[in-house]
Amino acid sequence: MTTAYAQRRVAPAPPAPRRSPAGPVLAVLWGGAAAVIALWWHDTGSVVGTAGRLTGAGRIAGLLCGYACAVLVGLMARVPLLERRIGADRVTRWHARAGRYTVCLLVAHVVLILLGYAAQDGSSLLAEALTVVLDYPEMLKATAGTVILFAVGIVSARAVRRRVAHEFWYYLHLLTYAAVFLAFGHQLALGSDFTGNATAQAAWYALYLGVAALVVWFRILAPVRLNLRHRLRVDSVHREAPGVYSVVIGGRRLDEMDVRPGQFLRWRFLTEGMRWTSSPYSLSAPPRPDLLRITVKALGDHSAAVSLLRPGTRVWAEGPYGALTADRQTSHKSLLIAGGAGITPLRALFETLPGDVTLLYRARSNEDLALGGELEAVARWRGAKVLYALNGPHGRPDLSAPSLRAAVPDLDAHDVYLCGPHGFARDVYEALRTAGVPDSRIHHESFEL
């Protein structure tokens, strides 16, 4: 054992597969978009002339943009149904895609409405823009909200985000709430589909207030309750491999946190230089009633500072999140494939997944095998297999479809849990599909946006 975190000897529970609610949730979201278009159709008579067509298209874009703003914020609310049943990574990708749709709809709304008004009034585009911003009700606030949304959209683009600090991106991203708040009044004041339509106004208020309630509950009140109840503090820090450290965290009644092997929490260590950053780290061992453990690889300033944490440091946590759990299991055979730091959630699953389990661990060298002693110990007591894929004299190991089938002959009969760097996970996923593993049996989480 490489740390003081004692290993549990508990027989794995039988699998309890649960269907993901992703399909019904997407159906509801697209149904809402259809209802928004139906609202425009119901309130619109004949569309005549260029000005009418431009204005009508601008109204549709504006309604869909307003609806998309509510969806965007709802996906940021960290609702357990989404984060734990569908998967935080998948919801994050939905949010990123919804953000791109929202910005595109916003551009279309602004441009089309101004072009339509200018054509109707016979004025220039600039003159019409000044008139709308300065003279129309609620437009100054809406303009401020538009500028904020554009700024968030620009900084969230991959090419830009890679060049800015995570903290800058994160806190600017939070201004989305302000942008939506500033634009809300404009939607009801100038939206002809809401003027005089009490039912539509009530539905719009219910949509936005419902989303706001989700944000307040799950992003503010639930984390406050969790941390006041469990009083988390750093218990100890242990070196596992070069640049890899485990942090054991103690607290009260941790068994009531409902955190499961394979899940992660967002951790904020309340010490100098780390208190303003919240980072997602998976549990690297099954949770105990009095202790939790995470294992962190130094990949940036925040993760590198984890090694300097001192016992007694207060910890603020949010979660648990993630759907890489035994709930996804559909077979009594499982193959866990870990690359680098991806071993952390799979280490916890290796001990607790029911049935026949094989672990394939990809690393550069023997000294980079974090938690290797624990993996061997778990393999011995539960009769599981551990396979290592290390760099050799001729380069990287072969993880192609034939190689995987040779290592695990009945590969297509296994559930495969996959975790590692994005490029590694993508290549292994393609090899698994080539080897005949159904997509429904490949379970992975990735936070590449």
Side-chain angles (χ1 to χ4, degrees), residues 14 157 192 199 321 337 350 364 369 418 448:
S192 58
T199 301
Y321 305 119
I337 304 179
F350 187 50
R364 287 193 295 264
L369 292 172
L418 173 61
E448 290 286 323

Side-chain angles (χ1 to χ4, degrees), residues 151-348:
V152 172
I154 291 171
V155 173
S156 297
R158 288 187 183 183
V160 178
R161 185 177 174 183
R162 291 177 182 143
R163 291 170 171 78
V164 300
H166 174 78
E167 290 79 6
F168 176 79
W169 169 85
Y170 176 78
Y171 287 110
L172 181 64
H173 212 70
L174 290 180
L175 289 178
T176 302
Y177 298 127
V180 173
F181 173 78
L182 288 169
F184 181 74
H186 149 71
Q187 298 173 44
L188 295 181
L190 295 178
S192 58
D193 301 283
F194 297 109
T195 304
N197 189 335
T199 301
Q201 289 185 22
W204 214 245
Y205 270 112
L207 173 65
Y208 272 76
L209 289 176
V211 167
L214 292 177
V215 171
V216 170
W217 181 259
F218 291 113
R219 294 208 63 162
I220 299 175
L221 298 180
V224 168
R225 177 180 178 271
L226 181 149
N227 287 278
L228 290 177
R229 185 175 190 179
H230 299 294
R231 306 284 182 176
L232 302 173
R233 290 184 181 272
V234 172
D235 181 89
S236 56
V237 180
H238 307 268
R239 182 181 183 274
E240 304 287 1
V244 180
Y245 290 84
S246 284
V247 182
V248 179
I249 298 164
R252 303 185 305 181
R253 297 183 293 179
L254 300 187
D255 53 326
E256 298 176 8
M257 288 181 66
D258 194 29
V259 58
R260 306 184 61 194
Q263 291 187 310
F264 69 93
L265 293 93
R266 299 179 189 272
W267 304 92
R268 191 186 302 271
F269 299 101
L270 305 184
T271 187
E272 186 176 354
M274 302 182 73
R275 66 178 68 247
W276 298 111
T277 301
S278 174
S279 297
Y281 297 128
S282 300
L283 295 188
S284 61
R288 287 180 16 180
D290 58 338
L291 294 174
L292 302 173
R293 190 186 72 180
I294 59 175
T295 300
V296 180
K297 184 176 179 63
L299 298 174
D301 293 341
H302 185 271
S303 54
V306 164
S307 64
L308 304 177
L309 288 171
R310 294 292 176 260
T313 300
R314 293 189 61 187
V315 181
W316 183 272
E318 299 176 39
Y321 305 119
L324 196 69
T325 67
D327 283 344
R328 291 190 173 186
Q329 195 174 34
T330 62
S331 168
H332 72 283
K333 296 182 179 181
S334 297
L335 170 64
L336 313 182
I337 304 179
I343 190 60
T344 52
L346 299 191
R347 154 64 184 92

Side-chain angles (χ1 to χ4, degrees), residues 84-169:
R84 303 178 195 176
R85 294 287 308 282
I86 296 175
D89 66 324
R90 194 171 183 182
V91 174
T92 299
R93 289 194 292 272
W94 287 0
H95 172 73
R97 191 174 298 121
R100 291 190 284 271
Y101 291 160
T102 302
V103 172
C104 290
L105 288 167
L106 180 59
V107 171
H109 171 63
V110 171
V111 172
L112 291 170
I113 284 292
L114 289 178
L115 286 173
Y117 285 1
Q120 180 178 313
D121 297 340
S123 62
S124 69
L125 191 62
L126 177 60
E128 194 65 40
L130 290 173
T131 299
V132 169
V133 171
L134 298 177
D135 296 341
Y136 282 41
E138 300 286 341
M139 273 308 302
L140 285 175
K141 290 193 294 184
T143 302
T146 298
V147 171
I148 293 173
L149 276 179
F150 279 142
V152 172
I154 291 171
V155 173
S156 297
R158 288 187 183 183
V160 178
R161 185 177 174 183
R162 291 177 182 143
R163 291 170 171 78
V164 300
H166 174 78
E167 290 79 6
F168 176 79
W169 169 85

Side-chain angles (χ1 to χ4, degrees), residues 369-437:
L369 292 172
L371 309 173
E374 293 185 17
L375 296 174
E376 295 289 349
V378 171
R380 283 193 298 271
W381 76 260
R382 70 169 298 172
K385 298 178 184 177
V386 181
L387 308 175
Y388 299 107
L390 307 178
N391 290 354
H394 303 293
R396 296 184 176 186
D398 181 14
L399 293 178
S400 63
S403 177
L404 291 173
R405 290 195 67 90
V408 185
D410 55 345
L411 180 61
D412 56 353
H414 284 66
D415 278 294
V416 181
Y417 288 78
L418 173 61
C419 191
H422 177 66
F424 165 83
R426 180 193 61 234
D427 293 343
V428 173
Y429 173 84
E430 292 174 356
L432 290 168
R433 295 292 289 123
T434 302
V437 181

